[in-house]
Amino acid sequence: MSAHGVIHILDSTSGKARPLKLTSDKLGVNDSVAQASLTNIESSLTSTLIVEDSVAQGSLSNIESSLAGTLTTTSAVTKSATQIANSQSVISGDFSSSSHNCSSERELVIAGTTTDMSNNIDIWISNDNSTYYKYGSQSMYPDSSGNFGIALDCPFKYIKVKFNGSGTVNALVMGSN
C-alpha cells in the first residue's frame, strides 16, 4: 500500500467515525448509499460544482474573472551595436580592434566587408574580455563581393573576430535582448 495515514468514515448506523483500513490502492464500496454519494462527488468534480456560500461565491467569481480577463505583458527590446573594425588593415591572425559586450543580449549579428574574399573569419568569445576562445566551428565566409555575416545566439559575455587573411575590414556587431 503506497498511502500513509488513517482515513475515518462516518458510520451512518452508529453516527461514529470509524477508521478505514485499505488492503490495496483501491477503495471498494458495497453500500448502495455510499456508492451514490461517491458518484455525486465524482460528477461534481468532473462537471459543475455548486457553491451556495455567498462569500465563497464572491471569491470564486473574482478568481474566474482574473483567469478569464485579459492578460497583458510588455517587454522592452533593447538593441546595441559596436563597430569592431573600422577600415582596419589586418594580416592573418589579427583580432578585431574592439570587442562587443553582449552580456545582456540573447541574439546578435556580425556583419561587415573585407577586401580578402579568400579566407574565413573566426568568431572568438570571452567571459572576462581578456581571455578569448574560438567559438567552436563558427566562422564567416566572405562572398565574392567581400560581404560577410552571421546570426548567433549569445550565451557569452564578449565577442570579437579573428581574421585568417590580410586585407581591410569593416565589421559591426549588433545585439538585442
Side-chain angles (χ1 to χ4, degrees):
M1 185 167 68
S2 62
H4 293 76
V6 177
I7 297 174
H8 288 84
I9 305 268
L10 183 61
D11 184 335
S12 59
T13 307
S14 67
K16 295 182 179 179
R18 300 189 180 215
L20 174 66
K21 294 183 182 179
L22 298 175
T23 55
S24 71
D25 287 343
K26 295 185 178 187
L27 174 62
V29 178
N30 294 325
D31 180 283
S32 62
V33 174
Q35 285 177 342
S37 294
L38 289 174
T39 301
N40 287 340
I41 292 170
E42 180 182 16
S43 66
S44 292
L45 294 176
T46 58
S47 61
T48 303
L49 180 63
I50 298 172
V51 177
E52 295 178 353
D53 180 282
S54 62
V55 174
Q57 286 174 344
S59 295
L60 289 173
S61 178
N62 288 339
I63 292 169
E64 181 182 22
S65 64
S66 294
L67 294 176
T70 303
L71 178 63
T72 304
T73 60
T74 59
S75 177
V77 175
T78 58
K79 299 178 182 180
S80 65
T82 303
Q83 181 96 28
I84 60 171
N86 187 7
S87 297
Q88 180 180 350
S89 292
V90 298
I91 58 172
S92 183
D94 281 354
F95 282 93
S96 57
S97 59
S98 298
S99 62
H100 177 76
N101 181 345
C102 48
S103 58
S104 63
E105 298 164 349
R106 294 185 335 174
E107 299 173 335
L108 60 85
V109 170
I110 304 171
T113 60
T114 181
T115 56
D116 174 21
M117 280 84 58
S118 302
N119 295 292
N120 65 315
I121 300 167
D122 294 328
I123 299 168
W124 286 65
I125 59 172
S126 174
N127 191 44
D128 61 7
N129 202 21
S130 178
T131 305
Y132 277 82
Y133 303 94
K134 185 170 182 324
Y135 189 43
S137 62
Q138 295 291 334
S139 291
M140 296 173 288
Y141 297 88
D143 63 16
S144 61
S145 299
N147 298 308
F148 60 88
I150 192 168
L152 301 167
D153 289 332
C154 190
F156 35 82
K157 287 188 177 181
Y158 299 93
I159 191 166
K160 61 171 53 178
V161 296
K162 182 178 180 182
F163 306 100
N164 294 310
S166 299
T168 302
V169 181
N170 287 295
L172 181 66
V173 178
M174 299 159 283
S176 69
N177 64 353

